[in-house]
Amino acid sequence: MANKTKGSARTSVEGINDSLSNIEQKLENNQKYIYYALIAILVIILAVGGFLWYRSSAIDKGNKEIGKADIQLLMYQNPDSALTLYKRVADRQSFGPANRAAQMAATLLYSKGNYDEALKYLKKSKPEGDVAGPAIKSLEGDCYVNKSMAKGGKSYYNEALSSYDEAIKLAGDNENYTPVFMIKKATVLHALKKYSDELKVYEDIKQKYPTYAIQNRINLDKYIERAKALTGK
């Protein structure tokens, strides 16, 4: 009986020792996991911190470059030098300054008749702001229209319509800008011989923005009557 009790006690002790060993092993493994997790968190913190520093540094550098470009353009009337600087910022960065740099580069390229390259930089930028945003989409449409007008070239009028529609959407009910984009849209619809759609756009302008045509001396009635005649109305 005593032997049996001793055997049971030994078994119990061995079981406890095994349990303790397992617990110690789990704790050791958990400590390793915790250690690796802390390292991972530290790496993330350092990476984020490094990115924020880089971003801040890049934004500051980009703003300085854009400032130089603005001076070249506005004070020295040197669009070529300004364009080089704007393109440099737009090509090398993806932060805030790059957006305006791409838009300025696109504007200068458009003025030079380089519509494909202008579109390239417009695609790099985001149409942000109540005024700048719609204007950028409108410029995109203008690029497509001019590409379409090239002798023997492909028609990009549908792309132009999409750009003008986006400009109209972004402008909302701005009575100074929205009618401008609507007239551009109507002009493209006329080129596509979609006279019913053209008529609707002109009638919408007359109804929603009655003072625009008067202030800008645009004879909307003439265009409405032309569209009606072409649609047989």
Side-chain angles (χ1 to χ4, degrees), residues 169-207:
K169 180 181 176 181
L170 290 170
D173 293 326
N174 189 311
E175 60 184 16
N176 294 314
Y177 300 110
T178 305
V180 177
F181 309 139
M182 293 176 74
I183 288 174
K184 289 184 177 184
K185 177 181 178 179
T187 303
V188 173
L189 288 169
H190 181 80
L192 289 170
K193 298 182 179 180
K194 296 183 177 181
Y195 304 124
S196 295
D197 293 336
E198 175 194 5
L199 174 60
K200 186 178 185 309
V201 174
Y202 282 129
E203 287 178 337
D204 284 346
I205 295 172
K206 187 173 181 179
Q207 180 184 354

Side-chain angles (χ1 to χ4, degrees), residues 23-58:
I23 291 170
E24 288 174 356
Q25 185 64 45
K26 288 179 180 179
L27 286 173
E28 184 178 347
N29 290 336
N30 285 338
Q31 285 177 342
K32 289 180 180 178
Y33 294 141
I34 292 170
Y35 173 72
Y36 292 135
L38 287 173
I39 290 177
I41 291 170
L42 181 60
V43 168
I44 292 170
I45 290 172
L46 290 173
V48 171
F51 171 76
L52 291 175
W53 176 85
Y54 168 76
R55 184 176 186 274
S56 176
S57 176

Side-chain angles (χ1 to χ4, degrees), residues 3 22 28 30 46 82 109-110 121 137 143 146 159 212 218 223:
N3 289 336
N22 288 334
E28 184 178 347
N30 285 338
L46 290 173
L109 287 164
Y110 175 83
Y121 282 97
K137 297 307 293 186
C143 286
N146 280 277
E159 289 84 349
Y212 177 81
I218 297 173
Y223 295 112

Side-chain angles (χ1 to χ4, degrees), residues 35 96 167 208 210 222 231:
Y35 173 72
K208 295 178 182 178
K222 178 180 73 174
T231 56

Side-chain angles (χ1 to χ4, degrees), residues 8-209:
S8 298
R10 188 181 303 109
T11 302
S12 298
V13 170
E14 288 174 354
I16 292 171
N17 286 335
D18 289 340
S19 296
L20 288 174
S21 296
N22 288 334
I23 291 170
E24 288 174 356
Q25 185 64 45
K26 288 179 180 179
L27 286 173
E28 184 178 347
N29 290 336
N30 285 338
Q31 285 177 342
K32 289 180 180 178
Y33 294 141
I34 292 170
Y35 173 72
Y36 292 135
L38 287 173
I39 290 177
I41 291 170
L42 181 60
V43 168
I44 292 170
I45 290 172
L46 290 173
V48 171
F51 171 76
L52 291 175
W53 176 85
Y54 168 76
R55 184 176 186 274
S56 176
S57 176
I59 288 174
D60 184 58
K61 183 178 179 180
N63 283 328
K64 288 179 180 177
E65 291 267 347
I66 288 178
K68 292 177 182 178
D70 292 341
I71 290 172
Q72 287 294 323
L73 181 63
L74 300 174
M75 294 185 64
Y76 297 111
Q77 304 292 310
N78 193 340
D80 291 335
S81 294
L83 178 58
T84 300
L85 291 169
Y86 288 134
K87 288 170 67 174
R88 184 185 302 168
V89 176
D91 290 337
R92 294 182 180 180
Q93 293 191 13
S94 58
F95 306 122
N99 200 47
R100 188 168 84 84
Q103 292 170 1
M104 291 300 296
T107 302
L108 291 175
L109 287 164
Y110 175 83
S111 69
K112 290 174 173 290
N114 297 339
Y115 306 121
D116 286 320
E117 195 173 3
L119 282 167
K120 169 190 167 185
Y121 282 97
L122 286 171
K123 297 298 183 184
K124 282 176 172 277
S125 71
K126 295 179 181 179
E128 299 174 335
D130 296 336
V131 176
I136 288 305
K137 297 307 293 186
S138 177
L139 181 61
E140 185 177 282
D142 295 347
C143 286
Y144 284 125
V145 168
N146 280 277
K147 278 167 63 68
S148 301
M149 293 172 65
K151 187 176 181 180
K154 175 184 173 183
S155 172
Y156 293 91
Y157 285 133
N158 287 325
E159 289 84 349
L161 282 179
S162 296
S163 298
Y164 291 140
D165 280 337
E166 188 65 23
I168 292 166
K169 180 181 176 181
L170 290 170
D173 293 326
N174 189 311
E175 60 184 16
N176 294 314
Y177 300 110
T178 305
V180 177
F181 309 139
M182 293 176 74
I183 288 174
K184 289 184 177 184
K185 177 181 178 179
T187 303
V188 173
L189 288 169
H190 181 80
L192 289 170
K193 298 182 179 180
K194 296 183 177 181
Y195 304 124
S196 295
D197 293 336
E198 175 194 5
L199 174 60
K200 186 178 185 309
V201 174
Y202 282 129
E203 287 178 337
D204 284 346
I205 295 172
K206 187 173 181 179
Q207 180 184 354
K208 295 178 182 178
Y209 309 99

